[in-house]
Amino acid sequence: MKQVLIINGHPDKESFNNALSEAYVKGVSNTQATITQMNISELEFNPNLKFGYRKRMELEPDLVEAIDKIKIADHIVWFFPMWWYGYPALMKGFIDRTFLPGITYQPIEGKPLPKKLLKGKSARLIITADTPKWYDYLIMKSPTINQFKKGTLQFCGINPVKVTYISPIKNSSPDFRKKWLDKIFNLGKKIK
């Protein structure tokens, strides 16, 4: 039975990201998969990796539990907004504190690339933005997607990582939002 982990990286529980993640949960509920949900904004932890990689900070209980959920999952679906061509600060802090050497990747002495400890998992990024997709891709070169997909998830072995980019959110119509809620529900039904 497939283990699906749904992570909401938006700090506002009343956001459209939350509605999208709930639509995905409803879709997955039509399958045999086991669903686990995590709202980063509900976790208690210091998002600042205050010693960098020089010294390991003690992991708070919520982070220990989050890491266990990531390790158990077969498919991880991330919901988050793109702000200033990045993701929310709290989500960045969560990644800094959980995607650590010995946990998600293992450096190999004398080698430029580490051992990927999250192999065998797949992921989907569901990103909301106000920036048109063409502008993000052609002009900005998709920095958020590159950073998270390639620089974090694939670096640690998660592959494939598919992306759903939803824009523009600001001033979007109820019909636009309903269409996307339906699409995300159907992605959940297919566990994609």
Side-chain angles (χ1 to χ4, degrees):
M1 189 176 298
K2 199 166 209 170
Q3 300 275 342
V4 178
L5 173 59
I6 298 160
I7 301 176
N8 186 349
H10 199 301
D12 182 0
K13 289 171 76 172
E14 295 180 27
S15 68
F16 187 51
N17 286 88
N18 190 62
L20 290 166
S21 69
E22 290 302 321
Y24 191 89
V25 168
K26 288 177 187 170
V28 176
S29 297
N30 290 297
T31 72
Q32 297 296 314
T34 300
I35 307 164
T36 305
Q37 288 180 268
M38 186 187 322
N39 289 310
I40 295 173
S41 66
E42 295 174 0
L43 305 180
E44 291 187 28
F45 69 99
N46 179 351
N48 184 19
L49 187 65
K50 63 183 178 181
F51 305 114
Y53 295 110
R54 177 179 61 81
K55 177 180 165 185
R56 179 70 60 95
M57 291 173 65
E58 185 172 338
L59 293 170
E60 294 88 343
D62 281 354
L63 293 186
V64 171
E65 187 178 333
I67 290 166
D68 288 342
K69 289 176 181 178
I70 289 167
K71 287 182 175 181
I72 291 168
D74 299 306
H75 186 63
I76 306 171
V77 185
W78 297 79
F79 291 84
F80 60 93
M82 182 177 74
W83 292 342
W84 293 110
Y85 294 97
Y87 30 85
L90 190 61
M91 182 174 153
K92 176 70 167 82
F94 173 80
I95 292 161
D96 285 351
R97 293 291 316 283
T98 57
F99 280 69
L100 295 167
I103 294 176
T104 59
Y105 67 95
Q106 183 61 53
I108 303 167
E109 195 171 328
K111 303 259 183 181
L113 297 176
K115 180 178 181 184
K116 300 173 182 212
L117 301 180
L118 297 181
K119 280 189 173 181
K121 301 177 186 306
S122 60
R124 177 170 291 274
L125 312 181
I126 299 178
I127 303 168
T128 58
D130 290 327
T131 302
K133 188 175 184 177
W134 66 266
Y135 189 88
D136 179 61
Y137 179 76
L138 292 174
I139 307 300
M140 298 305 295
K141 308 296 183 208
S142 303
T144 305
I145 295 167
N146 287 324
Q147 178 185 6
F148 195 44
K149 177 181 176 176
K150 296 176 183 174
T152 303
L153 300 179
Q154 289 178 335
F155 181 84
C156 295
I158 299 174
N159 208 30
V161 178
K162 298 188 176 178
V163 178
T164 301
Y165 187 96
I166 305 170
S167 112
I169 298 301
K170 188 177 181 181
N171 301 322
S172 60
S173 70
D175 285 345
F176 175 90
R177 291 180 178 228
K178 171 79 169 77
K179 178 185 92 169
W180 275 108
L181 289 168
D182 291 343
K183 283 183 179 183
I184 298 306
F185 171 82
N186 287 322
L187 283 176
K189 281 174 61 175
K190 298 172 189 168
I191 309 180
K192 287 187 166 184

